[in-house]
Amino acid sequence: MSDNDQSGEKTEQPTPKRLDDARKEGNIPRSRELSTAAVYGACVLAMMAFSGMLARGGLEWMKQALQPDPGLLQQPAELFGHAGQLLLAGMLVIAPLLAIGLLASFVSPVLMGGLQWTNKSLVPKLDRMSPIAGLKRLYGGEAVAEFAKSLLRVLFVGAAGTLVMVSSMPLLRGLLHKPLETAIADGLQFALRLMLATAVAFFLLAALDAPYQRWNWLRKLKMTREELKREHKESEGSPEVKGRIRQMQMQMSQRRMMQDVPTADVIVVNPTHYAVALKYQGDNMNAPVVVARGVDEVALRIRALAQQHRVAVVSAPPLARALYREGQLGKEIPVRLYSAVAQVLSYVYQLNDWRQGPAPVLPALQVQEFDPEARA
């Protein structure tokens, strides 16, 4: 297989950035079976927990609905308001059940991928209107999976209902011979057991569907090698852009470095290839600091700027090379160069005194000999 064919296959796992972008667009794993099981199961458990309260509320509502005020017959205009009051009273009776079901509807999104609100999920997608895409959904792998889930749903719910019906058959036969109130109570208990059994069946189906939906979601988000390289290039930046940024940073650093050259005490050169500017303030510095350094063209610019601002330029080739290799911009010089730099600074100070006052003899430069290639 050629490299082009391999790059077109989605063989790479999705990156965190791709997963995050998918969530922002509203593309998150969804399991309808888990949502159904959570809402239905929560409502069944709520009915079992609040059955007494629901029964009393329902009984009062039925009495109010079946025994209306006779005066309403004389005022037909009030019947509409009475119907609204009955509807509101019925909603209040089942309000706890509705609230629990509403809260349970958030269980599936939280478990599958977290709550994520985005307006992009509300935008209509034109590709869903394509007849070819519709045929793929009807006869593709997704359709086969949905058909298999439908068969499992019928199997699980049917098996749960059959087990409850078979085990409750003596109870159902005995309802015909029991008083009405007892028969109603037993019938409601049977209905709750049947709903609880079907809720268990829905949870078993959700336990199979939720991992499948997440696996299928990750499978759809897999990336080709070309997409992985493109994303890495976008996140890390292209070599051209990074090179341009480095160039701009170097230019800014050199500009700041050149601004510090006039404040230096001495420029140590070799004599044209290397140039290192040193500054020393005994009050607040432990050792001389490198304020500028460069080779070739930059070294010539440092020398020209130093001569323009009358900064002393001292030729000490081994020392200049050592300072350039071991010194860091804005940092103190290495310890092993203390003695040699001290001799250079002493010479510069004596030279300044000779120029400004009646010094008897022109000072001579003596620099300690050492290997400029060796490092401490």
Side-chain angles (χ1 to χ4, degrees):
M1 183 178 292
S2 63
D3 293 340
N4 294 334
D5 294 337
Q6 290 180 355
S7 62
E9 294 182 358
K10 294 186 175 183
T11 57
E12 307 299 325
Q13 293 297 326
T15 61
K17 181 181 181 301
R18 186 176 179 89
L19 296 177
D20 187 58
D21 292 342
R23 291 189 179 96
K24 289 180 180 178
E25 294 178 357
N27 182 9
I28 58 176
R30 297 182 179 88
S31 174
R32 288 182 293 178
E33 307 301 332
L34 182 58
S35 300
T36 302
V39 175
Y40 182 74
C43 290
V44 171
L45 294 177
M47 289 178 65
M48 296 179 67
F50 304 112
S51 57
M53 183 184 69
L54 293 174
R56 288 190 298 270
L59 182 61
E60 293 296 329
W61 183 83
M62 291 184 65
K63 288 180 179 179
Q64 185 181 0
L66 298 177
Q67 296 178 357
D69 186 2
L72 291 174
L73 299 177
Q74 306 298 328
Q75 299 176 345
E78 300 293 333
L79 291 175
F80 183 77
H82 179 68
Q85 292 178 357
L86 287 176
L87 180 60
L88 180 59
M91 293 295 293
L92 290 177
V93 172
I94 62 174
L97 198 62
L98 295 176
I100 292 175
L102 179 62
L103 292 177
S105 64
F106 293 98
V107 172
S108 178
V110 170
L111 293 179
M112 292 299 295
L115 296 176
Q116 185 74 33
W117 172 260
T118 175
N119 295 330
K120 294 183 179 180
S121 58
L122 302 177
V123 178
K125 297 182 179 180
L126 299 179
D127 55 348
R128 293 183 176 272
M129 303 175 62
S130 172
I132 298 178
L135 290 175
K136 288 182 178 179
R137 288 195 298 269
L138 287 176
Y139 300 102
E142 298 290 335
V144 174
E146 291 296 327
F147 179 72
K149 284 197 302 182
S150 300
L151 291 180
L152 290 176
R153 188 183 304 113
V154 172
L155 178 63
F156 286 2
V157 175
T162 301
L163 290 175
V164 175
M165 290 287 293
V166 171
S167 62
S168 302
M169 208 39 95
L171 174 64
L172 296 176
R173 293 195 190 99
L175 293 179
L176 298 175
H177 308 287
K178 292 181 179 180
L180 180 60
E181 294 182 358
T182 305
I184 291 176
D186 292 343
L188 290 175
Q189 292 295 329
F190 165 75
L192 286 176
R193 287 198 299 270
L194 181 62
M195 288 189 291
L196 182 61
T198 52
V200 173
F202 280 125
F203 274 109
L204 291 176
L205 183 60
L208 298 176
D209 181 64
Y212 166 76
Q213 293 296 339
R214 183 165 184 81
W215 171 83
N216 193 37
W217 177 68
L218 292 174
R219 180 185 63 84
K220 291 180 179 179
L221 292 178
K222 279 187 174 182
M223 308 170 66
T224 63
R225 293 182 179 178
E226 186 64 29
E227 290 174 340
L228 195 62
K229 293 178 181 178
R230 189 184 309 118
E231 180 180 303
H232 181 73
K233 186 176 181 179
E234 292 175 355
S235 60
E236 296 295 332
S238 63
E240 295 81 6
V241 175
K242 294 173 69 175
R244 178 58 179 168
I245 292 175
R246 284 195 299 269
Q247 183 181 2
M248 294 177 63
Q249 290 175 344
M250 291 178 60
Q251 291 177 355
M252 294 175 62
S253 176
Q254 289 182 4
R255 192 177 300 115
R256 289 193 300 267
M257 183 177 67
M258 292 302 175
Q259 293 175 356
D260 294 334
V261 170
T263 66
D265 293 318
V266 63
I267 310 296
V268 183
V269 298
N270 174 32
T272 57
H273 294 290
Y274 294 90
V276 180
L278 301 178
K279 181 178 181 179
Y280 179 65
Q281 295 177 350
D283 297 336
N284 53 12
M285 290 184 182
N286 297 324
V289 175
V290 178
V291 296
R293 57 196 285 268
V295 295
D296 297 334
E297 183 180 352
V298 177
L300 293 176
R301 290 174 56 193
I302 292 175
R303 290 192 60 178
L305 195 59
Q307 293 173 356
Q308 180 181 350
H309 290 83
R310 303 184 66 180
V311 179
V313 178
V314 175
S315 178
L319 180 59
R321 292 198 299 270
L323 285 171
Y324 180 80
R325 287 192 175 91
E326 301 181 34
Q328 296 183 13
L329 196 63
K331 301 294 182 64
E332 296 180 354
I333 63 174
V335 176
R336 83 181 191 99
L337 303 181
Y338 278 6
S339 178
V341 172
Q343 291 175 347
V344 171
L345 290 175
S346 177
Y347 167 75
V348 171
Y349 296 152
Q350 294 178 26
L351 183 63
N352 291 336
D353 293 340
W354 179 80
R355 288 174 177 174
Q356 296 176 2
V361 181
L362 178 67
L365 175 63
Q366 294 181 357
V367 180
Q368 175 187 354
E369 295 184 359
F370 59 91
D371 185 5
E373 304 297 331
R375 289 180 177 269

